Amino acid sequence: MVTIFARRLGRTLAGVGFSLAAICASDMTLAAETLQDPQPFEAKYRLEVRGWPGATITHRLSNEGDHWLSDMRFSITVARGQEFSRFTLNDDDIEALYFSSRYSVLGMGDSYQLNESDIGSLDRQTALFALSRRAGNENCTESAPCEIEFVDQKGRDEHFQYYVHEKKGSEPTTISVPAGEFEALSVSLIDTEKPDRLLQINFHPDWPGLILSAVYQKEGRRETQLTLTQFQPDGGSAP
């Protein structure tokens, strides 16, 4: 039971299960735009996992001097969990330094840690940030998706394909969530080993790492859903 819940949550938190590599895309072509600089924030999401009570996830992206920290955590009556990652950012290059993941259900669970030497590409929290930052600057379409890689909580390689949904018309794509109405960058990810699994994420294009909504489907049925309910920039105003 713990493993099933953690796996579902991990798929959502990572993207990427929320996710993605440095980014390790074999056919990725970047456009000329400058990548968006990270901005610290705190967000809250409503997490709904089929067959489980709903939960609130707190997500913080913060600067800690020479590195960044991405931290996601939740707690409900029967379960709790946390993932966090430290990474450095040098212009367009991202390097994962440390990843921690732990979950428990009814007092039983697992805990994992990955050091820099254990992470061949990126961990999934760092990859989430990288994907949201770069997806809008790549020529990744449904007919010609990009290939991506990252490691799970045990350091095992994960392989996905992803593409960005094309805009309809000249106006920016916007979505409405409980936290407000925002411009959105819509990305779909497919597990290359399990093509019946689909993860669709809406990112904010100007706030790397910020998720507006996400839906994870298996065999066409929704398994997990994440929705932004609160957003607080660190020292700034919400977009």
Side-chain angles (χ1 to χ4, degrees), residues 38-41 59-63 68-71 87 129 208:
Q39 304 176 72
F41 65 80
H59 180 198
R60 294 185 180 90
L61 181 69
S62 56
N63 181 260
W68 287 82
L69 173 68
S70 178
D71 185 312
F87 61 92
F129 169 86

Side-chain angles (χ1 to χ4, degrees), residues 1-9 49 51-53 78-79 103-110:
M1 181 169 62
V2 174
T3 302
I4 294 173
F5 182 78
R7 185 179 299 135
R8 287 185 184 175
L9 180 64
V49 179
W52 288 84
V78 297
Y103 302 95
S104 66
V105 179
L106 298 176
M108 298 181 296
D110 291 304

